[in-house]
């Protein structure tokens, strides 16, 4: 395919996709569940106000938000989904009261016909939309207001210190007095009520709730809609068509590629390290340390799932509760992966142009200091926020925002945003001399490299688009711009270009072939990836059109991933091209692992949960971290490690590595990751799915179900994979620091 055609396709995909994404962002704003000025009973008693709901959202965020259970299915998997849990408890309470009033016995003791009648009356009351747009008021029955008080007492006791709920707190890994005042609890209860109201209240003029009938709950009539089933089938058809077209393309174009013979001698053997290139070494030392700390936080977090509030008998949750360890585990993953990729860019940029801009080393060092400050400052702020040591406003700015993957306070977000533009400036000034050379055969590749760099710096700005009390549906919309488009989208484009540059510099592939391959891969990936963002938003208060677009385009995301075997074979072939290429064996092997995990983690496990009907029952279950771990670490983590090893190899190209520890690292992390998933997390998720289909999401996430002996056994079995994985990470750290200490270099 011609380069010009690919550029036109790239521009068209960007314009059309972001146009649609923006349009439906406006629709989400227009059709989001309303936040009333007040909630009153039918006899005029005020139950709550809009300020209480909004402040309650901030209280929820301050205790960790999506790092303590989930709301609308997004967040952590240890505690319940608070909306599903509240909805079930509310339904049971009201049914019992109705049964006692009508028949003088509890709901469980009435016959089936009476149960059906009571459930019909309950559904008629709860699903009716009583929001008055004119006076911005929701009207509820006195019975529902009574249920609100009863549930508020339960959650107050749970998050504070009711001794009768001690066992439940341990099962949920929630320390006593996680919320330290009844005033804050009253606010958070108001938020829980409103978020749950949206899950059961039908949209005006429609027979579906604001969350598309999610969560599944038979008592209130929350069942899959026809559109869920239709668009699930359509997404499978799109997937099959896409795979067929992609296979045809590979089959017809494979022989047209220009092949090149690898040079007899490493063309990089004469490369001189510039001061700024050498200065990136400390970035990779920090990356290595962050990997170890991140894994340690993961070990603590997963142990809380079996011991609740302790760590082998130690009361660790008193100073490091689950919400903190999980926040740090997720946040550190983003930090070290991004740092590895950014440092690779800083290393490659001067090598591309062959020129070292003035004060480039100073800029690299300043950026390094800024990144360290952001990491330490944001993690400290998150701990202070969760420990309830900050006010709600201060928590938003310096503490914990409560949104998974973007938990850091707004001040630290802005600081990071500025740091990314400093990085962009350093990148741009270093590659500019090569970019302006019109005769350079790398020019198109350089332009894509610069575009990807600009996108990385710019798209993180989506994380600044919500405020302290922004509507949850809108905050979720922008959050997934960061998680899906920034992390999963343009970082992947950047990494694809960076790897292509590495192989072009080594003269293992021609610049023309690399350019067309990168452009084609980018067009294909972004064709599904941009609008595929919507598959995260099926049940977050969005209109049905979002479900249709998300299911269709998320299926297209999987298409290029199912053919990752070609990429793996290609990289293995390159690793054996010449004797000198064997020096790059393990960096290339990590790229092979990326292809494998792209296929399994992002492709297979991703599509497992992406179709609407699957996600309807699976959202918020352990099937999600199956995809999360294998895609985030399996793809982006392995890629970050591979890029790091490539740079470290080039920094001392004449030395011969002692490969024992890097070999242990590679196999340990890959085998450990697959064992972790296959013998523990995936079986737990599938058993939860069965429970969700049969009884409802509330039960699949309940302590009653997750504390069953066989479920606890499956949790403990994760230990085998975790130990092997952690051993591989330790071996990697030992190897990397050994490059400086000397034990990872063979003596001549």
């Amino acid at each position: 395919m011609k380069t010009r055609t690919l550029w036109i396709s790239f521009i068209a995909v960007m314009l059309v996709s972001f146009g649609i994404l923006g349009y439906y962002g406006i629709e989400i704003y227009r059709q989001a569940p309303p936040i009333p000025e007040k909630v009153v009973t039918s006899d005029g008693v005020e139950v709550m106000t809009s300020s209480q709901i909004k402040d309650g959202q901030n209280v929820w965020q301050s205790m960790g938000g999506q790092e303590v259970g989930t709301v609308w299915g997004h967040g952590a998997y240890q505690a319940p989904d608070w909306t599903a849990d509240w909805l079930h408890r509310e339904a049971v309470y009201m049914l019992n009261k109705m049964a006692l009033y009508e028949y003088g016995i509890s709901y469980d003791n009435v016959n089936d016909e009476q149960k059906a009648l009571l459930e019909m009356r309950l559904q008629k009351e709860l699903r009716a939309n009583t929001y008055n747009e004119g006076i911005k008021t929701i009207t509820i029955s006195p019975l529902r207001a009574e249920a609100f008080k009863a549930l508020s007492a339960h959650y107050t006791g749970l998050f504070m210190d009711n001794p009768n709920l001690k066992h439940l707190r341990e099962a949920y890994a929630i320390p006593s007095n996680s919320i330290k005042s009844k005033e804050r609890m009253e606010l958070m209860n108001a938020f829980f009520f409103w978020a749950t109201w949206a899950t059961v209240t039908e949209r005006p003029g429609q027979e579906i709730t604001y969350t598309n009938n999610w969560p599944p709950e038979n008592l209130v009539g929350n069942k899959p809609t026809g559109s869920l089933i239709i668009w699930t089938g359509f997404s499978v058809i799109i997937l099959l068509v896409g795979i067929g077209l992609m296979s045809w393309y590979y089959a017809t174009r494979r022989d047209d590629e220009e092949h090149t013979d690898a040079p007899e001698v490493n063309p990089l053997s004469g490369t001189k390290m510039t001061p700024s290139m050498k200065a990136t070494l400390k970035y990779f030392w920090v990356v290595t340390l962050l990997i170890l700390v991140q894994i340690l936080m993961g070990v603590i977090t997963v142990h809380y799932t079996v011991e609740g509030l302790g760590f082998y008998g130690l009361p660790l949750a008193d100073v490091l509760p689950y919400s903190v360890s999980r926040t740090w585990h997720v946040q550190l993953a983003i930090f070290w992966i991004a740092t590895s990729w950014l440092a690779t860019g800083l290393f490659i940029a001067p090598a591309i142009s062959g020129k070292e801009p003035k004060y480039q080393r100073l800029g690299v060092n300043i950026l390094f200091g800024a990144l360290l400050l952001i990491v330490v400052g944001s993690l400290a702020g998150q701990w202070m926020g969760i420990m309830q040591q900050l006010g709600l406003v201060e928590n938003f700015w310096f503490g914990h925002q409560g949104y998974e993957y973007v938990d850091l306070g707004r001040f630290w977000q802005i600081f990071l945003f500025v740091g990314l533009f400093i990085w962009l400036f350093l990148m741009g000034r270093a590659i500019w001399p090569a970019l302006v050379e019109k005769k350079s055969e790398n020019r198109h590749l350089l332009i894509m490299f610069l575009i990807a760099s600009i996108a990385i710096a710019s798209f993180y700005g989506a994380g600044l688009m919500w405020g302290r009390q922004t509507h949850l549906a809108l905050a979720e919309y922008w959050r997934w711009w960061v998680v899906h488009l920034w992390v999963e989208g343009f970082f992947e484009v950047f990494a694809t270009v960076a790897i292509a540059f590495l192989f072009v510099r080594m003269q293992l592939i021609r610049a023309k072939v690399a350019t067309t391959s990168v452009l084609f891969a980018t067009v294909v990936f972004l064709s599904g990836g941009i609008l595929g963002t919507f598959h995260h938003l099926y049940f977050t208060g969005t209109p049905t059109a979002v479900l249709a677009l998300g299911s269709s385009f998320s299926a297209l995301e999987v298409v290029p991933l199912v053919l990752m075997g070609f990429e793996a074979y290609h990289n293995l072939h390159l690793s054996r091209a010449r004797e000198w290429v064997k020096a790059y064996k393990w960096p290339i092997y990590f790229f092979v692992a990326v292809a494998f995990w792209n296929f399994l983690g992002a492709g297979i496990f991703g599509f497992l949960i992406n179709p609407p009907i699957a996600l309807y029952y699976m959202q918020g279950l352990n099937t999600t971290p199956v995809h999360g771990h294998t895609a985030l670490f399996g793809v982006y983590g392995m890629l970050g490690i591979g890029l790091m090893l490539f740079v470290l190899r080039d920094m001392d190209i004449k030395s011969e590595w002692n490969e024992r520890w890097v070999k242990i690292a590679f196999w340990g992390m890959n085998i450990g990751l697959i064992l972790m998933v296959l013998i523990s997390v995936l079986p737990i998720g599938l058993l939860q799915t069965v429970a969700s289909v049969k009884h409802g999401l509330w039960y699949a996430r309940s302590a009653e179900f997750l504390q069953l002996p066989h479920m606890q056994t499956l949790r403990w079995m994760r230990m085998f994979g975790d130990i092997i994985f952690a051993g591989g990470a330790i071996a990697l750290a030992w190897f990397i620091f050994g490059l400086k200490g000397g034990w990872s270099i063979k003596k001549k």
Side-chain angles (χ1 to χ4, degrees):
M1 193 175 291
K2 294 182 179 179
T3 303
R4 184 172 182 272
T5 303
L6 289 169
W7 275 114
I8 292 172
S9 300
F10 170 74
I11 294 169
V13 165
M14 292 286 285
L15 290 176
V16 172
S17 297
F18 277 106
I20 296 173
L21 194 65
Y23 172 79
Y24 280 102
I26 297 171
E27 287 299 296
I28 291 171
Y29 175 83
R30 287 181 56 250
Q31 300 186 42
I35 298 177
E37 288 296 323
K38 58 184 178 178
V39 177
V40 299
T41 64
S42 55
D43 50 8
V45 178
E46 184 176 280
V47 181
M48 68 188 72
T49 65
S50 63
S51 62
Q52 289 176 310
I53 295 170
K54 293 175 181 178
D55 287 343
Q57 181 174 334
N58 292 152
V59 174
W60 166 70
Q61 291 170 284
S62 74
M63 71 158 187
Q66 291 177 342
E67 305 294 355
V68 186
T70 56
V71 167
W72 292 353
H74 292 297
Y77 313 101
Q78 174 64 4
D81 179 273
W82 302 114
T83 44
D85 191 64
W86 183 293
L87 181 60
H88 182 73
R89 290 178 183 275
E90 181 179 51
V92 170
Y93 183 91
M94 294 178 70
L95 285 169
N96 269 321
K97 286 291 183 178
M98 292 161 65
L100 285 170
Y101 179 78
E102 290 288 337
Y103 308 111
I105 55 177
S106 68
Y107 168 77
D108 286 338
N109 293 322
V110 300
N111 61 44
D112 291 342
E113 290 79 8
Q114 292 168 335
K115 283 183 178 179
L117 179 62
L118 291 172
E119 288 173 14
M120 184 178 67
R121 288 172 54 191
L122 177 73
Q123 292 170 21
K124 185 176 180 180
E125 176 176 340
L126 295 187
R127 298 183 72 85
N129 194 328
T130 59
Y131 176 68
N132 187 315
E133 177 66 35
I135 58 175
K136 299 187 182 305
T137 298
I138 293 173
T139 303
I140 62 175
S141 69
L143 176 58
R144 195 171 187 184
E146 183 184 330
F148 170 72
K149 289 182 180 179
L151 268 63
S152 293
H154 168 77
Y155 287 106
T156 298
L158 177 65
F159 286 100
M160 296 188 73
D161 58 356
N162 186 335
N164 296 326
L165 297 176
K166 180 181 178 181
H167 174 73
L168 202 55
R169 276 194 294 273
E170 291 178 353
Y172 294 163
I174 297 175
S176 60
N177 291 313
S178 291
I179 303 296
K180 298 190 182 302
S181 72
K182 288 188 176 180
E183 291 75 21
R184 282 198 170 195
M185 270 310 311
E186 288 175 2
L187 297 175
M188 192 164 76
N189 286 328
F191 169 67
F192 282 171
F193 171 86
W194 170 82
T196 305
W197 174 87
T199 67
V200 72
T201 302
E202 293 181 349
R203 290 180 177 274
Q206 300 184 46
E207 295 182 355
I208 57 171
T209 71
Y210 284 104
T211 57
N212 285 314
N213 284 4
W214 188 93
E217 175 59 75
N218 289 331
L219 292 179
V220 299
N222 268 9
K223 298 177 181 179
T225 63
S227 59
L228 278 173
I229 299 170
I230 290 171
W231 288 108
T232 296
F234 195 63
S235 69
V236 173
I237 293 171
I238 288 177
L239 174 65
L240 295 175
V241 171
I243 291 173
L245 291 174
M246 186 64 69
S247 301
W248 174 81
Y249 176 85
Y250 267 83
T252 56
R253 298 289 179 177
R254 184 174 54 190
D255 295 332
D256 296 339
E257 292 187 354
E258 295 183 51
H259 298 281
T260 182
D261 293 326
E264 294 286 346
V265 180
N266 188 348
L268 304 182
S269 57
T271 302
K272 293 184 178 180
M273 296 293 104
T274 67
S276 71
M277 293 169 73
K278 293 178 181 178
T280 61
L281 177 60
K282 55 182 170 288
Y283 282 77
F284 297 114
W285 288 346
V286 169
V287 165
T288 306
L289 291 173
L290 291 182
I291 291 174
L292 295 179
V293 177
Q294 189 236 339
I295 291 172
L296 176 61
M297 290 300 107
V299 169
I300 293 171
T301 301
V302 76
H303 189 78
Y304 281 140
T305 66
V306 293
E307 199 174 336
L309 300 175
F311 188 75
Y312 294 103
L314 297 174
L316 187 61
D318 292 345
V319 293
L320 189 71
Y322 174 91
S323 53
V324 173
S325 65
R326 189 179 189 275
T327 297
W328 287 358
H329 178 63
V330 173
Q331 202 68 64
L332 286 170
I334 301 295
F335 279 144
W336 76 255
I337 292 171
T339 300
S340 177
W341 294 16
L342 297 179
T344 299
L346 293 172
F347 179 87
I348 291 175
I352 291 171
S353 62
K355 298 178 181 179
E356 172 88 341
K358 193 175 183 180
Y359 302 123
Q360 183 78 354
R361 181 175 179 271
L362 177 62
V364 170
N365 289 335
I366 290 173
L367 181 61
F368 177 75
L371 288 175
L372 281 183
L373 185 58
I374 290 167
V375 171
V376 175
S378 64
L379 297 184
Q382 288 160 352
W383 182 87
M384 293 179 68
I386 289 173
M387 302 304 284
Q388 301 289 287
Q389 296 185 12
L390 299 174
L392 297 182
V393 176
E394 293 80 7
N395 178 70
F396 172 76
W397 282 97
F398 300 101
H400 199 300
Q401 286 203 51
Y403 296 125
E404 190 181 26
Y405 294 107
V406 282
D407 307 88
L408 63 170
R410 177 52 52 87
F411 172 80
W412 304 111
Q413 276 187 305
I414 295 172
F415 199 165
L416 180 55
F417 190 50
V418 172
L420 289 171
F421 272 92
I422 294 173
W423 171 79
L424 176 62
F425 172 73
L426 295 172
M427 292 284 293
R429 71 197 295 258
I431 68 174
W432 187 256
L435 192 64
V436 296
E437 292 181 16
K438 295 184 178 181
K439 294 182 180 180
S440 172
E441 62 178 356
N442 292 333
R443 193 161 184 268
H444 287 285
L445 207 55
L446 286 170
I447 293 172
M448 180 55 72
F449 193 62
L450 184 61
I451 289 172
S453 300
I454 293 170
I456 286 173
S458 302
F459 274 85
Y460 186 74
L464 307 177
M465 296 301 292
W466 64 79
R468 183 170 67 89
Q469 295 193 329
T470 295
H471 193 293
L472 183 60
L474 294 176
E476 281 291 272
Y477 169 75
W478 288 113
R479 182 173 77 91
W480 286 109
W481 271 59
V482 178
V483 180
H484 191 89
L485 291 177
W486 186 66
V487 176
E488 297 182 33
F490 290 103
F491 256 118
E492 177 142 333
V493 174
F494 172 81
T496 302
V497 181
I499 292 172
F501 264 122
L502 292 173
F503 287 142
V504 168
R505 286 182 65 228
M506 294 165 67
Q507 297 180 24
L508 295 177
I509 58 175
R510 297 182 185 276
K512 182 180 178 181
V513 173
T515 299
T516 55
S517 297
V518 166
L519 279 170
F520 179 75
T522 300
V523 169
V524 171
F525 181 77
L526 293 182
S527 294
I530 295 174
L531 291 178
T533 305
F534 282 142
H535 80 253
H536 300 285
L537 304 174
Y538 292 160
F539 312 119
T540 57
T542 55
T544 306
V546 167
L547 186 149
L549 288 166
S551 59
S552 301
F553 284 91
S554 65
L556 288 177
E557 283 187 272
V558 181
V559 169
L561 303 179
V562 298
L563 298 174
M564 276 293 155
F566 289 110
E567 185 72 18
Y569 173 79
H570 176 68
N571 288 336
L572 276 174
H573 178 73
L574 291 178
S575 71
R576 299 161 182 167
R578 291 289 184 187
E579 186 65 27
W580 63 266
V581 182
K582 291 182 179 179
Y584 294 89
K585 172 184 175 180
W586 291 107
I588 293 176
Y589 267 38
F590 273 96
F591 294 157
V592 173
V594 170
F596 170 78
W597 289 112
N598 243 327
F599 165 71
L600 182 62
I604 302 300
F605 291 148
F607 194 72
L608 172 69
I609 62 175
N610 278 358
I613 192 63
L615 196 59
Y616 180 77
Y617 290 108
M618 290 180 172
Q619 178 154 292
L621 305 183
N622 275 270
T623 45
T624 302
V626 166
H627 168 59
H629 280 81
T630 53
L632 183 58
F633 193 97
V635 178
Y636 300 107
M638 294 294 180
L639 188 52
I641 294 170
L643 291 172
M644 174 172 62
L645 291 175
F646 239 111
V647 171
L648 294 174
R649 177 70 280 177
D650 282 353
M651 282 185 174
D652 188 14
I653 206 165
K654 294 181 181 179
S655 65
E656 186 178 357
W657 282 358
N658 182 351
E659 297 181 344
R660 177 187 177 189
W661 291 106
V662 71
K663 180 180 180 179
I664 293 173
F666 175 82
W667 290 111
M669 285 190 286
N670 279 283
I671 292 173
L673 183 57
I674 200 164
L675 287 177
M676 175 199 311
V677 168
L678 294 184
I679 69 175
S680 179
V681 187
L682 181 59
I684 290 172
L686 294 177
L687 288 172
Q688 282 186 297
T689 302
V690 173
S692 178
V693 173
K694 189 174 181 179
H695 300 290
L697 185 84
W698 70 272
Y699 181 72
R701 291 285 299 272
S702 68
E704 177 186 356
F705 177 70
L706 290 174
Q707 296 294 315
L708 290 172
H710 67 279
M711 298 298 287
Q712 287 291 75
T713 299
L714 285 172
R715 283 173 161 176
W716 276 109
M717 286 180 66
R718 178 171 169 170
M719 178 175 60
F720 299 110
D722 286 356
I723 290 173
I724 296 171
F725 181 86
I730 293 170
L732 177 69
W734 182 255
F735 171 78
I736 289 174
F737 289 118
L739 294 176
K740 186 68 175 179
W743 57 82
S744 296
I745 304 295
K746 286 186 177 180
K747 307 298 182 182
K748 294 184 179 179

